[in-house]
Amino acid sequence: MKFTNRIYTLGLLMFLLAGTTGCQKGNLLDNPNAAGDGTLVPPTLILNRITSSLIKAEEQPFAQANRTNQYYVSNYSYYWGSNFYNWGNSDHQYEMLRYAIKLEEQAAKLGNTTNAYFALAKFFRAYTAIWLSVRVGNIPMSEAGNADNLTPKFDTQKEVYKNSLILLDEANTIMTNLLTVTPANKNVVLDAQGDVFGLTYFQWQKVINTYKLRLLVSLSKRAVDHADLNVATQFATMVNNPIQYPVMEANSDNMSYKYNASYNPYPVYTSRSYSYGANISKTILDITTSSEDPRTFVFATPAPAQYKSSLGNKSVGDFSAYVGASNNTDQAVLFNGTDALGNTSSDKGAYSYINYKRYFSSQDGSTAEAYILLGYPELCFNVAEAINHGWLTGDAKSWYDKGINASLGIYGLTNGQTFTVGDRLGGTIGTTIIDIPRFMANANVVYKGNNENGLKQILTQKYVAMFNNSGYEPFYNYLRTGYPAFIDGGVGIGTSNNKISRRWMNPQNEITYNSENYKAAIQSQFGGADDISKDNWLFK
């Protein structure tokens, strides 16, 4: 079900009438309170709805976002869709905004203005605004969610970011005050019934501040020409004051979504017919194989033509046996996987497949890593990037190395480990030994200093660490920095100019029901055309 600003005209009665699904517990409409009767809807039910729905279907493992991020390539559209960047109208987060507003309203009825639900409501309001703004540009924010206003004005993208940073700062202050008054809550799970992430009070405060650092880094192109945002100063103030602004300190602080077979199974089909429908992208495999990165074995299978045929008979530990497919290649060619010997069957294909053993073999996702919406490795790379930019003093190399090691830890990789490698159907074809020192000593990996080369390394390793998680964040980093280089240009991209799209069109219901404000926003940003080839303010 899709919601837009127009839903606000119906009030929140329909919102509370909607039953919960999936891993949501209970029904939000046992006591409808939209009419202002003062009835308290437990905030835990609203929080459950928010946290269980925070990750969009298109952002799930091996969904659209990860094709856009060039982590994998579809070779069979029936199962895996196309590789095109010819997007239409964006989805939105207006439903989530309404829940965030309702969470704040219900938190107020508890009679304690410093309870944690106030802080979380502010975080979710910021998150929903940024989620849409980074995709389309200017959006309604300051007037969005007001049931008395059917046509909320569009705030500029700068205003959206500025207001979101304020919301996050307010959320942090609430959490600080709360934990000062009740320090015993610090390591207590904030809401065991409502929060599907299972985070403690202190971990939620870390999430809030870690997310704020993400936003500040995403403003890197505007840090100088919009000095009033105080991007560098805000970033340095937070990192240099960990007591006031605690951030993630380890993978245990990750905002991770865990799957289970009962009510939210891993979203990749376990049928073997799906195992040949997708290849690992050349974009990521060229990075990992050239640096002898052991995460290569986690993500991919060896290309059948490399280890099975007389072309190579290479060992499963040979990085050259892992060959990525280009996102710009016609799907029919990818599906046939023709190699140098003229083999055309899937089992003799030229390209590596997704690691079936890890990602396809368990309905509960127990063999795969949990989905990370926001994590410690990203935090490390963001601090390293800020130091590289000169926003604060510090050891960028140390943060860069910590980010890499944290990512390796997510996959359970340890030096000297015997790692089992499978084929595209999950059958074991050999083992290899994990060599982390060799990887860390690779010339492509050793940090090259606080310069453009070092920046490229930070963004490249951040990209690898975000494999199959973090939504579209890897793509946004590419739009902002150009790192790592994506495969771009050619008919396989699927756009009118054969180039990767730079944004989405605005949500259709916004166009339909708020047309005058929409037209004015598009005119001021892009000269009147809702053009997917144009950069938003954030990326210009």
Side-chain angles (χ1 to χ4, degrees), residues 248-358:
M248 292 179 179
E249 300 174 89
N251 283 329
S252 57
D253 291 328
N254 289 347
M255 194 178 186
S256 298
Y257 189 86
K258 300 176 179 63
Y259 297 93
N260 63 73
S262 299
Y263 45 82
N264 56 340
Y266 196 71
V268 178
Y269 292 92
T270 54
S271 168
R272 291 192 174 191
S273 62
Y274 285 81
S275 63
Y276 59 75
N279 300 105
I280 295 294
S281 173
K282 175 179 173 62
T283 303
I284 189 166
L285 272 191
D286 279 3
I287 294 169
T288 62
T289 57
S290 64
S291 59
E292 303 171 298
D293 188 335
R295 288 171 292 188
T296 300
F297 311 127
V298 174
F299 304 156
T301 69
Q306 296 297 316
Y307 76 89
K308 294 183 75 170
S309 74
S310 57
L311 178 67
N313 289 324
K314 296 176 181 177
S315 73
V316 297
D318 187 336
F319 287 101
S320 67
Y322 295 78
V323 182
S326 171
N327 295 61
N328 196 25
T329 302
D330 184 86
Q331 280 189 319
V333 175
L334 291 173
F335 183 74
N336 289 331
T338 303
D339 63 25
L341 297 180
N343 297 311
T344 57
S345 74
S346 294
D347 281 334
K348 295 181 180 180
Y351 307 113
S352 294
Y353 293 95
I354 297 169
N355 184 345
Y356 184 102
K357 274 185 172 294
R358 185 172 187 87

Side-chain angles (χ1 to χ4, degrees), residues 124-242:
F124 294 128
R125 286 173 61 189
Y127 181 89
T128 58
I130 295 299
W131 189 94
L132 180 58
S133 180
V134 72
R135 294 162 71 96
V136 303
N138 297 356
I139 64 166
M141 182 184 182
S142 59
E143 295 182 359
N146 182 354
D148 296 324
N149 184 0
L150 302 182
T151 56
K153 72 172 185 178
F154 278 62
D155 298 88
T156 67
Q157 192 169 49
K158 178 181 178 179
E159 290 169 336
V160 171
Y161 272 76
K162 187 173 184 177
N163 291 334
S164 295
L165 292 170
I166 291 172
L167 285 170
L168 295 170
D169 200 48
E170 292 173 348
N172 176 64
T173 298
I174 292 171
M175 294 300 291
T176 296
N177 293 340
L178 175 63
L179 292 177
T180 299
V181 175
T182 55
N185 284 342
K186 183 175 182 179
N187 296 315
V188 174
V189 173
L190 191 151
D191 189 333
Q193 295 299 312
D195 175 19
V196 301
F197 297 105
L199 300 174
T200 67
Y201 282 80
F202 194 44
Q203 285 176 321
W204 265 113
Q205 186 177 16
K206 293 177 180 179
V207 164
I208 290 165
N209 291 317
T210 299
Y211 183 69
K212 184 178 177 182
L213 291 182
R214 174 195 278 188
L215 298 196
L216 289 169
V217 163
S218 72
L219 287 163
S220 65
K221 297 191 78 169
R222 304 281 74 88
V224 175
D225 60 5
H226 289 266
D228 59 306
L229 292 173
N230 296 315
V231 172
T233 300
Q234 286 195 69
F235 197 104
T237 297
M238 292 182 67
V239 174
N240 292 330
N241 293 276

Side-chain angles (χ1 to χ4, degrees), residues 28-40:
L28 296 183
L29 215 237
D30 291 339
N31 291 296
N33 68 338
D37 61 2
T39 305
L40 173 66

Side-chain angles (χ1 to χ4, degrees), residues 49 72 89 105 109-110 149 194 253 315 337 351 379 481 534:
R49 182 59 181 249
Y72 81 95
N89 302 95
E105 291 175 358
K109 293 179 182 179
L110 295 176
N149 184 0
D253 291 328
S315 73
Y351 307 113
L379 177 279
T481 69
K534 298 290 182 65

Side-chain angles (χ1 to χ4, degrees), residues 54 73 146 336 361 414 417 493 517:
L54 204 59
V73 179
N146 182 354
N336 289 331
S361 62
T414 58
Q417 171 187 1
I493 301 300
N517 286 325

